[in-house]
Amino acid sequence: DADVTQTPRNRITKTGKRIMLECSQTKGHDRMYWYRQDPGLGLRLIYYSFDVKDINKGEISDGYSVSRQAQAKFSLSLESAIPNQTALYFCATSAPGTAAYEQYFGPGTRLTVT
Amino acid sequence: KQEVTQIPAALSVPEGENLVLNCSFTDSAIYNLQWFRQDPGKGLTSLLLIQSSQREQTSGRLNASLDKSSGRSTLYIAASQPGDSATYLCAVNNAGNMLTFGGGTRLMVKP
């Protein structure tokens, strides 16, 4: 089984709808991240969380919110989806206390807002 | 603000060639640098991670180097194969917290 899973894998929604993307991990990592990737571009950080009580905005947090329900679960919400939020969304995890802070990524969620 | 640039944006080579992908970054105070592979419509696979105190890392046919002072990293792929065709992403970690990604190099290796 994959260490970092994302649901759904694909989603098409309409402008103005609320949508939630979910991420779960079995790696036991404290830190979790949400990124988005637009076609032909690298990933940009939306939000990150160091533990259940610590949530931080990333580079492009406007229009998004997050919830860290447990150490293993981190959800991303679009309160009122708009077409320019069409993108590929990735969740990632990392562990403090290791020298590398290497990040491990989920398979991604492809979101289309029409 | 850290900025990461990857050159070239796309590369097409015949099978068997050795090739170099380039990554440059503006802030040399980095914690580590990761190279990822991304297949179309898929997630990211970590290839190599170089810590700030290291000069290079090797895994099989891949070798990544890091020159912090000049703000550069290179990914060397030896004896390229069609299965190496993918997008390669470079990402810099400034504070152990978050990654700043380059735009990627889209590689095609032709049989």
Side-chain angles (χ1 to χ4, degrees), chain A residues 9 31 33 35 37 40-43 45 48 50 59 88 90 98-103 105-107 110, chain B residues 1 31-32 34 36 38 41-44 46 49 51 89 93 95-104:
Chain A
R9 294 294 313 280
R31 300 183 176 195
Y33 310 79
Y35 294 88
Q37 184 180 33
L41 299 179
L43 282 69
L45 183 66
Y48 61 101
F50 287 171
E59 180 187 359
L88 191 55
F90 288 102
T98 62
Y101 285 99
E102 185 172 4
Q103 291 194 16
F105 283 77
R110 184 169 299 280
Chain B
K1 178 187 171 187
Y31 197 84
N32 62 44
Q34 277 184 265
F36 293 89
Q38 184 178 26
K42 299 291 180 66
L44 277 67
S46 182
L49 181 148
Q51 296 187 52
L89 295 164
N93 188 333
N97 300 336
M98 63 198 82
L99 296 176
T100 301
F101 281 81

mmCIF file of all heavy atoms in Angstrom, chain A residues 9 31 33 35 37 40-43 45 48 50 59 88 90 98-103 105-107 110, chain B residues 1 31-32 34 36 38 41-44 46 49 51 89 93 95-104:
data_model
loop_
_atom_site.group_PDB
_atom_site.id
_atom_site.type_symbol
_atom_site.label_atom_id
_atom_site.label_comp_id
_atom_site.label_asym_id
_atom_site.label_seq_id
_atom_site.Cartn_x
_atom_site.Cartn_y
_atom_site.Cartn_z
ATOM 1 N N ARG A 9 -8.815 10.923 -6.852
ATOM 2 C CA ARG A 9 -7.702 11.053 -7.787
ATOM 3 C C ARG A 9 -8.053 12.003 -8.925
ATOM 4 O O ARG A 9 -7.158 12.684 -9.466
ATOM 5 C CB ARG A 9 -7.326 9.693 -8.359
ATOM 6 C CG ARG A 9 -6.770 8.734 -7.332
ATOM 7 C CD ARG A 9 -5.413 9.204 -6.762
ATOM 8 N NE ARG A 9 -4.502 9.609 -7.803
ATOM 9 C CZ ARG A 9 -3.782 8.772 -8.531
ATOM 10 N NH1 ARG A 9 -3.857 7.488 -8.311
ATOM 11 N NH2 ARG A 9 -2.977 9.232 -9.473
ATOM 12 N N ARG A 31 4.942 16.323 9.679
ATOM 13 C CA ARG A 31 4.762 17.467 8.780
ATOM 14 C C ARG A 31 4.025 17.046 7.518
ATOM 15 O O ARG A 31 4.348 16.035 6.908
ATOM 16 C CB ARG A 31 6.109 18.078 8.423
ATOM 17 C CG ARG A 31 6.854 18.567 9.645
ATOM 18 C CD ARG A 31 8.153 19.248 9.312
ATOM 19 N NE ARG A 31 8.765 19.775 10.537
ATOM 20 C CZ ARG A 31 9.745 20.659 10.566
ATOM 21 N NH1 ARG A 31 10.238 21.132 9.441
ATOM 22 N NH2 ARG A 31 10.234 21.078 11.718
ATOM 23 N N TYR A 33 2.011 18.747 3.812
ATOM 24 C CA TYR A 33 2.027 19.894 2.908
ATOM 25 C C TYR A 33 0.984 19.696 1.820
ATOM 26 O O TYR A 33 0.712 18.570 1.394
ATOM 27 C CB TYR A 33 3.397 20.017 2.229
ATOM 28 C CG TYR A 33 4.592 19.979 3.165
ATOM 29 C CD1 TYR A 33 5.069 18.771 3.667
ATOM 30 C CD2 TYR A 33 5.248 21.151 3.529
ATOM 31 C CE1 TYR A 33 6.151 18.731 4.518
ATOM 32 C CE2 TYR A 33 6.346 21.116 4.376
ATOM 33 C CZ TYR A 33 6.793 19.894 4.871
ATOM 34 O OH TYR A 33 7.880 19.859 5.711
ATOM 35 N N TYR A 35 0.493 21.164 -2.188
ATOM 36 C CA TYR A 35 1.049 21.912 -3.309
ATOM 37 C C TYR A 35 0.061 21.854 -4.484
ATOM 38 O O TYR A 35 -0.729 20.923 -4.592
ATOM 39 C CB TYR A 35 2.348 21.279 -3.807
ATOM 40 C CG TYR A 35 3.522 21.319 -2.864
ATOM 41 C CD1 TYR A 35 3.719 20.314 -1.927
ATOM 42 C CD2 TYR A 35 4.460 22.348 -2.948
ATOM 43 C CE1 TYR A 35 4.823 20.332 -1.081
ATOM 44 C CE2 TYR A 35 5.569 22.374 -2.097
ATOM 45 C CZ TYR A 35 5.740 21.362 -1.177
ATOM 46 O OH TYR A 35 6.836 21.388 -0.343
ATOM 47 N N GLN A 37 0.134 22.181 -8.881
ATOM 48 C CA GLN A 37 0.977 22.242 -10.067
ATOM 49 C C GLN A 37 0.120 22.631 -11.258
ATOM 50 O O GLN A 37 -0.886 21.976 -11.547
ATOM 51 C CB GLN A 37 1.657 20.900 -10.338
ATOM 52 C CG GLN A 37 2.624 20.943 -11.519
ATOM 53 C CD GLN A 37 3.279 19.598 -11.766
ATOM 54 O OE1 GLN A 37 2.676 18.547 -11.540
ATOM 55 N NE2 GLN A 37 4.531 19.621 -12.208
ATOM 56 N N GLY A 40 3.012 22.725 -17.149
ATOM 57 C CA GLY A 40 4.293 23.273 -17.556
ATOM 58 C C GLY A 40 5.040 24.007 -16.456
ATOM 59 O O GLY A 40 6.118 24.552 -16.709
ATOM 60 N N LEU A 41 4.499 23.995 -15.256
ATOM 61 C CA LEU A 41 5.140 24.708 -14.153
ATOM 62 C C LEU A 41 5.520 23.743 -13.042
ATOM 63 O O LEU A 41 5.006 22.628 -12.964
ATOM 64 C CB LEU A 41 4.197 25.784 -13.603
ATOM 65 C CG LEU A 41 3.761 26.875 -14.568
ATOM 66 C CD1 LEU A 41 2.814 27.838 -13.869
ATOM 67 C CD2 LEU A 41 4.957 27.613 -15.144
ATOM 68 N N GLY A 42 6.395 24.237 -12.164
ATOM 69 C CA GLY A 42 6.719 23.462 -10.978
ATOM 70 C C GLY A 42 5.607 23.552 -9.950
ATOM 71 O O GLY A 42 4.562 24.159 -10.185
ATOM 72 N N LEU A 43 5.824 22.938 -8.806
ATOM 73 C CA LEU A 43 4.819 22.945 -7.743
ATOM 74 C C LEU A 43 4.953 24.197 -6.890
ATOM 75 O O LEU A 43 6.063 24.687 -6.660
ATOM 76 C CB LEU A 43 5.004 21.715 -6.852
ATOM 77 C CG LEU A 43 4.480 20.386 -7.380
ATOM 78 C CD1 LEU A 43 5.289 19.880 -8.557
ATOM 79 C CD2 LEU A 43 4.464 19.349 -6.256
ATOM 80 N N LEU A 45 3.606 25.906 -3.084
ATOM 81 C CA LEU A 45 3.086 25.519 -1.783
ATOM 82 C C LEU A 45 1.826 26.309 -1.428
ATOM 83 O O LEU A 45 1.805 27.549 -1.501
ATOM 84 C CB LEU A 45 4.156 25.753 -0.714
ATOM 85 C CG LEU A 45 3.816 25.330 0.703
ATOM 86 C CD1 LEU A 45 3.665 23.801 0.790
ATOM 87 C CD2 LEU A 45 4.911 25.792 1.651
ATOM 88 N N TYR A 48 0.976 24.352 4.835
ATOM 89 C CA TYR A 48 1.734 23.294 5.466
ATOM 90 C C TYR A 48 1.413 23.247 6.955
ATOM 91 O O TYR A 48 0.970 24.235 7.546
ATOM 92 C CB TYR A 48 3.242 23.428 5.214
ATOM 93 C CG TYR A 48 3.897 24.681 5.737
ATOM 94 C CD1 TYR A 48 4.629 24.663 6.920
ATOM 95 C CD2 TYR A 48 3.812 25.868 5.020
ATOM 96 C CE1 TYR A 48 5.262 25.809 7.386
ATOM 97 C CE2 TYR A 48 4.440 27.015 5.478
ATOM 98 C CZ TYR A 48 5.165 26.990 6.655
ATOM 99 O OH TYR A 48 5.782 28.122 7.120
ATOM 100 N N PHE A 50 2.895 21.524 10.742
ATOM 101 C CA PHE A 50 3.965 20.819 11.444
ATOM 102 C C PHE A 50 3.426 19.826 12.461
ATOM 103 O O PHE A 50 4.119 18.902 12.860
ATOM 104 C CB PHE A 50 4.902 21.810 12.128
ATOM 105 C CG PHE A 50 5.796 22.555 11.187
ATOM 106 C CD1 PHE A 50 6.573 23.603 11.622
ATOM 107 C CD2 PHE A 50 5.861 22.203 9.851
ATOM 108 C CE1 PHE A 50 7.399 24.293 10.751
ATOM 109 C CE2 PHE A 50 6.678 22.881 8.953
ATOM 110 C CZ PHE A 50 7.453 23.933 9.418
ATOM 111 N N GLU A 59 2.800 29.896 -0.172
ATOM 112 C CA GLU A 59 2.932 30.964 -1.172
ATOM 113 C C GLU A 59 1.600 31.397 -1.767
ATOM 114 O O GLU A 59 1.405 32.568 -2.092
ATOM 115 C CB GLU A 59 3.868 30.467 -2.267
ATOM 116 C CG GLU A 59 4.130 31.444 -3.389
ATOM 117 C CD GLU A 59 4.937 30.812 -4.515
ATOM 118 O OE1 GLU A 59 5.292 29.621 -4.402
ATOM 119 O OE2 GLU A 59 5.189 31.517 -5.499
ATOM 120 N N LEU A 88 -3.276 20.291 -10.817
ATOM 121 C CA LEU A 88 -2.945 19.014 -10.190
ATOM 122 C C LEU A 88 -2.488 19.327 -8.767
ATOM 123 O O LEU A 88 -1.614 20.175 -8.564
ATOM 124 C CB LEU A 88 -1.826 18.342 -10.991
ATOM 125 C CG LEU A 88 -1.456 16.894 -10.714
ATOM 126 C CD1 LEU A 88 -2.664 15.986 -10.819
ATOM 127 C CD2 LEU A 88 -0.369 16.455 -11.698
ATOM 128 N N PHE A 90 -1.019 18.136 -5.030
ATOM 129 C CA PHE A 90 -0.199 17.105 -4.390
ATOM 130 C C PHE A 90 -0.138 17.339 -2.884
ATOM 131 O O PHE A 90 0.015 18.473 -2.414
ATOM 132 C CB PHE A 90 1.228 17.121 -4.931
ATOM 133 C CG PHE A 90 1.352 16.606 -6.329
ATOM 134 C CD1 PHE A 90 1.484 17.473 -7.389
ATOM 135 C CD2 PHE A 90 1.360 15.238 -6.570
ATOM 136 C CE1 PHE A 90 1.603 16.995 -8.689
ATOM 137 C CE2 PHE A 90 1.472 14.749 -7.862
ATOM 138 C CZ PHE A 90 1.597 15.635 -8.919
ATOM 139 N N THR A 98 15.029 14.185 11.311
ATOM 140 C CA THR A 98 15.949 13.504 10.399
ATOM 141 C C THR A 98 16.813 14.567 9.736
ATOM 142 O O THR A 98 16.383 15.703 9.563
ATOM 143 C CB THR A 98 15.203 12.714 9.323
ATOM 144 O OG1 THR A 98 14.435 13.619 8.531
ATOM 145 C CG2 THR A 98 14.272 11.707 9.969
ATOM 146 N N ALA A 99 17.966 14.193 9.326
ATOM 147 C CA ALA A 99 18.887 15.181 8.774
ATOM 148 C C ALA A 99 18.404 15.743 7.449
ATOM 149 O O ALA A 99 18.710 16.858 7.086
ATOM 150 C CB ALA A 99 20.267 14.554 8.606
ATOM 151 N N ALA A 100 17.653 14.973 6.726
ATOM 152 C CA ALA A 100 17.382 15.334 5.352
ATOM 153 C C ALA A 100 16.100 16.129 5.138
ATOM 154 O O ALA A 100 15.992 16.865 4.171
ATOM 155 C CB ALA A 100 17.335 14.080 4.498
ATOM 156 N N TYR A 101 15.112 15.997 6.010
ATOM 157 C CA TYR A 101 13.794 16.590 5.772
ATOM 158 C C TYR A 101 13.268 16.251 4.387
ATOM 159 O O TYR A 101 12.611 17.062 3.742
ATOM 160 C CB TYR A 101 13.827 18.114 5.922
ATOM 161 C CG TYR A 101 13.911 18.596 7.344
ATOM 162 C CD1 TYR A 101 15.125 18.973 7.902
ATOM 163 C CD2 TYR A 101 12.766 18.682 8.125
ATOM 164 C CE1 TYR A 101 15.194 19.410 9.212
ATOM 165 C CE2 TYR A 101 12.832 19.127 9.428
ATOM 166 C CZ TYR A 101 14.045 19.493 9.967
ATOM 167 O OH TYR A 101 14.122 19.944 11.255
ATOM 168 N N GLU A 102 13.550 15.057 3.951
ATOM 169 C CA GLU A 102 13.103 14.648 2.630
ATOM 170 C C GLU A 102 11.588 14.601 2.594
ATOM 171 O O GLU A 102 10.945 14.133 3.522
ATOM 172 C CB GLU A 102 13.668 13.282 2.278
ATOM 173 C CG GLU A 102 13.348 12.815 0.872
ATOM 174 C CD GLU A 102 14.099 11.546 0.497
ATOM 175 O OE1 GLU A 102 14.802 11.009 1.376
ATOM 176 O OE2 GLU A 102 13.993 11.109 -0.657
ATOM 177 N N GLN A 103 11.014 15.095 1.500
ATOM 178 C CA GLN A 103 9.558 15.100 1.364
ATOM 179 C C GLN A 103 9.110 13.946 0.472
ATOM 180 O O GLN A 103 9.728 13.648 -0.548
ATOM 181 C CB GLN A 103 9.059 16.433 0.810
ATOM 182 C CG GLN A 103 9.241 17.567 1.817
ATOM 183 C CD GLN A 103 8.470 18.823 1.474
ATOM 184 O OE1 GLN A 103 7.551 18.808 0.646
ATOM 185 N NE2 GLN A 103 8.824 19.917 2.112
ATOM 186 N N PHE A 105 5.795 12.381 -1.624
ATOM 187 C CA PHE A 105 4.599 12.900 -2.270
ATOM 188 C C PHE A 105 3.563 11.812 -2.539
ATOM 189 O O PHE A 105 3.899 10.661 -2.817
ATOM 190 C CB PHE A 105 4.981 13.570 -3.593
ATOM 191 C CG PHE A 105 5.588 14.924 -3.403
ATOM 192 C CD1 PHE A 105 6.900 15.057 -2.985
ATOM 193 C CD2 PHE A 105 4.833 16.067 -3.600
ATOM 194 C CE1 PHE A 105 7.460 16.312 -2.780
ATOM 195 C CE2 PHE A 105 5.372 17.329 -3.399
ATOM 196 C CZ PHE A 105 6.689 17.450 -2.994
ATOM 197 N N GLY A 106 2.300 12.230 -2.466
ATOM 198 C CA GLY A 106 1.204 11.387 -2.886
ATOM 199 C C GLY A 106 1.069 11.388 -4.396
ATOM 200 O O GLY A 106 1.791 12.102 -5.088
ATOM 201 N N PRO A 107 0.116 10.617 -4.944
ATOM 202 C CA PRO A 107 -0.024 10.460 -6.391
ATOM 203 C C PRO A 107 -0.681 11.646 -7.075
ATOM 204 O O PRO A 107 -0.669 11.731 -8.296
ATOM 205 C CB PRO A 107 -0.890 9.212 -6.527
ATOM 206 C CG PRO A 107 -1.705 9.206 -5.283
ATOM 207 C CD PRO A 107 -0.808 9.748 -4.206
ATOM 208 N N ARG A 110 -6.202 15.330 -9.697
ATOM 209 C CA ARG A 110 -6.431 16.223 -10.837
ATOM 210 C C ARG A 110 -7.806 16.847 -10.676
ATOM 211 O O ARG A 110 -8.812 16.151 -10.717
ATOM 212 C CB ARG A 110 -6.346 15.469 -12.155
ATOM 213 C CG ARG A 110 -6.484 16.377 -13.373
ATOM 214 C CD ARG A 110 -6.145 15.663 -14.672
ATOM 215 N NE ARG A 110 -4.772 15.192 -14.700
ATOM 216 C CZ ARG A 110 -3.723 15.950 -14.963
ATOM 217 N NH1 ARG A 110 -3.878 17.236 -15.225
ATOM 218 N NH2 ARG A 110 -2.515 15.427 -14.991
ATOM 219 N N LYS B 1 13.353 36.107 -1.626
ATOM 220 C CA LYS B 1 12.556 34.948 -1.987
ATOM 221 C C LYS B 1 13.357 34.048 -2.921
ATOM 222 O O LYS B 1 13.922 34.492 -3.900
ATOM 223 C CB LYS B 1 11.264 35.419 -2.673
ATOM 224 C CG LYS B 1 10.385 34.275 -3.131
ATOM 225 C CD LYS B 1 9.215 34.806 -3.949
ATOM 226 C CE LYS B 1 8.461 33.658 -4.592
ATOM 227 N NZ LYS B 1 7.429 34.135 -5.516
ATOM 228 N N TYR B 31 19.024 24.215 2.724
ATOM 229 C CA TYR B 31 19.140 23.089 3.649
ATOM 230 C C TYR B 31 19.470 21.817 2.887
ATOM 231 O O TYR B 31 20.297 21.023 3.284
ATOM 232 C CB TYR B 31 17.839 22.947 4.424
ATOM 233 C CG TYR B 31 17.959 22.109 5.663
ATOM 234 C CD1 TYR B 31 18.405 22.672 6.853
ATOM 235 C CD2 TYR B 31 17.627 20.766 5.644
ATOM 236 C CE1 TYR B 31 18.523 21.908 7.995
ATOM 237 C CE2 TYR B 31 17.747 19.998 6.780
ATOM 238 C CZ TYR B 31 18.185 20.569 7.955
ATOM 239 O OH TYR B 31 18.310 19.811 9.072
ATOM 240 N N ASN B 32 18.753 21.610 1.793
ATOM 241 C CA ASN B 32 19.052 20.501 0.900
ATOM 242 C C ASN B 32 18.426 20.765 -0.462
ATOM 243 O O ASN B 32 17.710 21.761 -0.644
ATOM 244 C CB ASN B 32 18.592 19.147 1.465
ATOM 245 C CG ASN B 32 17.083 19.065 1.667
ATOM 246 O OD1 ASN B 32 16.309 19.476 0.806
ATOM 247 N ND2 ASN B 32 16.654 18.519 2.794
ATOM 248 N N GLN B 34 16.515 18.521 -3.737
ATOM 249 C CA GLN B 34 16.012 17.238 -4.204
ATOM 250 C C GLN B 34 15.778 17.279 -5.698
ATOM 251 O O GLN B 34 15.275 18.274 -6.228
ATOM 252 C CB GLN B 34 14.667 16.885 -3.522
ATOM 253 C CG GLN B 34 14.781 16.251 -2.156
ATOM 254 C CD GLN B 34 13.439 15.833 -1.573
ATOM 255 O OE1 GLN B 34 12.818 16.556 -0.815
ATOM 256 N NE2 GLN B 34 12.987 14.631 -1.924
ATOM 257 N N PHE B 36 13.508 15.249 -8.521
ATOM 258 C CA PHE B 36 12.351 14.376 -8.641
ATOM 259 C C PHE B 36 12.134 14.015 -10.102
ATOM 260 O O PHE B 36 12.484 14.765 -11.006
ATOM 261 C CB PHE B 36 11.066 15.072 -8.157
ATOM 262 C CG PHE B 36 11.016 15.377 -6.693
ATOM 263 C CD1 PHE B 36 11.510 16.584 -6.206
ATOM 264 C CD2 PHE B 36 10.437 14.487 -5.796
ATOM 265 C CE1 PHE B 36 11.441 16.881 -4.853
ATOM 266 C CE2 PHE B 36 10.365 14.774 -4.446
ATOM 267 C CZ PHE B 36 10.871 15.975 -3.978
ATOM 268 N N GLN B 38 8.844 13.001 -12.644
ATOM 269 C CA GLN B 38 7.391 12.984 -12.743
ATOM 270 C C GLN B 38 6.993 12.436 -14.098
ATOM 271 O O GLN B 38 7.357 12.993 -15.129
ATOM 272 C CB GLN B 38 6.797 14.384 -12.546
ATOM 273 C CG GLN B 38 5.279 14.396 -12.551
ATOM 274 C CD GLN B 38 4.702 15.769 -12.306
ATOM 275 O OE1 GLN B 38 5.320 16.789 -12.573
ATOM 276 N NE2 GLN B 38 3.483 15.814 -11.774
ATOM 277 N N GLY B 41 0.861 12.785 -15.757
ATOM 278 C CA GLY B 41 -0.328 12.506 -14.963
ATOM 279 C C GLY B 41 -0.059 11.770 -13.666
ATOM 280 O O GLY B 41 -1.004 11.342 -12.997
ATOM 281 N N LYS B 42 1.184 11.630 -13.306
ATOM 282 C CA LYS B 42 1.529 10.860 -12.111
ATOM 283 C C LYS B 42 2.149 11.753 -11.035
ATOM 284 O O LYS B 42 2.397 12.942 -11.242
ATOM 285 C CB LYS B 42 2.529 9.763 -12.485
ATOM 286 C CG LYS B 42 1.996 8.770 -13.513
ATOM 287 C CD LYS B 42 0.914 7.912 -12.946
ATOM 288 C CE LYS B 42 0.381 6.921 -13.962
ATOM 289 N NZ LYS B 42 1.389 5.922 -14.339
ATOM 290 N N GLY B 43 2.401 11.144 -9.890
ATOM 291 C CA GLY B 43 3.027 11.852 -8.787
ATOM 292 C C GLY B 43 4.520 12.002 -8.961
ATOM 293 O O GLY B 43 5.065 11.708 -10.023
ATOM 294 N N LEU B 44 5.157 12.469 -7.919
ATOM 295 C CA LEU B 44 6.597 12.718 -7.948
ATOM 296 C C LEU B 44 7.343 11.565 -7.284
ATOM 297 O O LEU B 44 6.960 11.128 -6.199
ATOM 298 C CB LEU B 44 6.930 14.011 -7.203
ATOM 299 C CG LEU B 44 6.771 15.312 -7.976
ATOM 300 C CD1 LEU B 44 5.328 15.585 -8.311
ATOM 301 C CD2 LEU B 44 7.354 16.463 -7.176
ATOM 302 N N SER B 46 11.020 10.713 -5.779
ATOM 303 C CA SER B 46 12.290 11.306 -5.382
ATOM 304 C C SER B 46 13.439 10.474 -5.939
ATOM 305 O O SER B 46 13.481 9.260 -5.768
ATOM 306 C CB SER B 46 12.380 11.366 -3.862
ATOM 307 O OG SER B 46 13.597 11.974 -3.454
ATOM 308 N N LEU B 49 18.608 13.203 -3.108
ATOM 309 C CA LEU B 49 18.593 14.339 -2.196
ATOM 310 C C LEU B 49 20.024 14.636 -1.809
ATOM 311 O O LEU B 49 20.766 13.721 -1.391
ATOM 312 C CB LEU B 49 17.748 14.038 -0.958
ATOM 313 C CG LEU B 49 17.636 15.165 0.068
ATOM 314 C CD1 LEU B 49 16.278 15.127 0.757
ATOM 315 C CD2 LEU B 49 18.740 15.113 1.104
ATOM 316 N N GLN B 51 22.260 16.965 0.661
ATOM 317 C CA GLN B 51 22.259 17.892 1.791
ATOM 318 C C GLN B 51 23.265 19.013 1.528
ATOM 319 O O GLN B 51 24.174 18.876 0.720
ATOM 320 C CB GLN B 51 22.596 17.136 3.074
ATOM 321 C CG GLN B 51 21.548 16.094 3.421
ATOM 322 C CD GLN B 51 21.787 15.476 4.774
ATOM 323 O OE1 GLN B 51 21.949 16.190 5.759
ATOM 324 N NE2 GLN B 51 21.814 14.161 4.834
ATOM 325 N N LEU B 89 12.234 17.401 -12.049
ATOM 326 C CA LEU B 89 12.031 18.606 -11.254
ATOM 327 C C LEU B 89 13.122 18.726 -10.204
ATOM 328 O O LEU B 89 13.480 17.747 -9.539
ATOM 329 C CB LEU B 89 10.673 18.572 -10.556
ATOM 330 C CG LEU B 89 9.443 18.598 -11.461
ATOM 331 C CD1 LEU B 89 8.208 18.180 -10.687
ATOM 332 C CD2 LEU B 89 9.236 19.985 -12.039
ATOM 333 N N ASN B 93 15.194 23.231 -0.617
ATOM 334 C CA ASN B 93 14.638 23.339 0.725
ATOM 335 C C ASN B 93 15.479 24.344 1.497
ATOM 336 O O ASN B 93 16.651 24.108 1.750
ATOM 337 C CB ASN B 93 14.676 21.964 1.387
ATOM 338 C CG ASN B 93 13.942 21.930 2.708
ATOM 339 O OD1 ASN B 93 13.821 22.941 3.390
ATOM 340 N ND2 ASN B 93 13.451 20.762 3.068
ATOM 341 N N ALA B 95 14.670 25.848 4.614
ATOM 342 C CA ALA B 95 14.644 25.928 6.079
ATOM 343 C C ALA B 95 14.129 24.649 6.705
ATOM 344 O O ALA B 95 13.655 24.686 7.835
ATOM 345 C CB ALA B 95 13.768 27.108 6.501
ATOM 346 N N GLY B 96 14.202 23.556 5.990
ATOM 347 C CA GLY B 96 13.678 22.301 6.510
ATOM 348 C C GLY B 96 12.170 22.250 6.491
ATOM 349 O O GLY B 96 11.573 21.324 7.012
ATOM 350 N N ASN B 97 11.548 23.265 5.916
ATOM 351 C CA ASN B 97 10.104 23.358 5.974
ATOM 352 C C ASN B 97 9.419 23.129 4.638
ATOM 353 O O ASN B 97 8.524 22.297 4.528
ATOM 354 C CB ASN B 97 9.688 24.737 6.482
ATOM 355 C CG ASN B 97 10.225 25.026 7.855
ATOM 356 O OD1 ASN B 97 10.512 24.117 8.616
ATOM 357 N ND2 ASN B 97 10.367 26.282 8.172
ATOM 358 N N MET B 98 9.805 23.909 3.645
ATOM 359 C CA MET B 98 9.063 23.858 2.402
ATOM 360 C C MET B 98 10.019 23.880 1.215
ATOM 361 O O MET B 98 11.132 24.385 1.303
ATOM 362 C CB MET B 98 8.103 25.029 2.317
ATOM 363 C CG MET B 98 8.790 26.380 2.295
ATOM 364 S SD MET B 98 7.665 27.712 2.720
ATOM 365 C CE MET B 98 7.697 27.595 4.499
ATOM 366 N N LEU B 99 9.537 23.307 0.132
ATOM 367 C CA LEU B 99 10.338 23.220 -1.084
ATOM 368 C C LEU B 99 9.941 24.313 -2.071
ATOM 369 O O LEU B 99 8.761 24.612 -2.233
ATOM 370 C CB LEU B 99 10.142 21.862 -1.745
ATOM 371 C CG LEU B 99 10.608 20.638 -0.948
ATOM 372 C CD1 LEU B 99 10.261 19.367 -1.709
ATOM 373 C CD2 LEU B 99 12.090 20.716 -0.682
ATOM 374 N N THR B 100 10.938 24.877 -2.744
ATOM 375 C CA THR B 100 10.711 25.757 -3.878
ATOM 376 C C THR B 100 11.144 25.005 -5.125
ATOM 377 O O THR B 100 12.301 24.586 -5.222
ATOM 378 C CB THR B 100 11.506 27.066 -3.753
ATOM 379 O OG1 THR B 100 11.132 27.737 -2.544
ATOM 380 C CG2 THR B 100 11.211 27.981 -4.937
ATOM 381 N N PHE B 101 10.208 24.841 -6.064
ATOM 382 C CA PHE B 101 10.448 24.022 -7.239
ATOM 383 C C PHE B 101 10.834 24.861 -8.449
ATOM 384 O O PHE B 101 10.362 25.991 -8.626
ATOM 385 C CB PHE B 101 9.176 23.251 -7.610
ATOM 386 C CG PHE B 101 8.924 22.043 -6.767
ATOM 387 C CD1 PHE B 101 8.340 22.161 -5.526
ATOM 388 C CD2 PHE B 101 9.270 20.782 -7.227
ATOM 389 C CE1 PHE B 101 8.103 21.038 -4.741
ATOM 390 C CE2 PHE B 101 9.029 19.648 -6.457
ATOM 391 C CZ PHE B 101 8.451 19.788 -5.213
ATOM 392 N N GLY B 102 11.648 24.265 -9.301
ATOM 393 C CA GLY B 102 11.854 24.795 -10.634
ATOM 394 C C GLY B 102 10.714 24.360 -11.542
ATOM 395 O O GLY B 102 9.856 23.566 -11.152
ATOM 396 N N GLY B 103 10.718 24.878 -12.770
ATOM 397 C CA GLY B 103 9.653 24.571 -13.712
ATOM 398 C C GLY B 103 9.777 23.210 -14.376
ATOM 399 O O GLY B 103 8.838 22.760 -15.043
ATOM 400 N N GLY B 104 10.928 22.558 -14.200
ATOM 401 C CA GLY B 104 11.105 21.213 -14.732
ATOM 402 C C GLY B 104 11.754 21.187 -16.099
ATOM 403 O O GLY B 104 11.727 22.169 -16.855
#
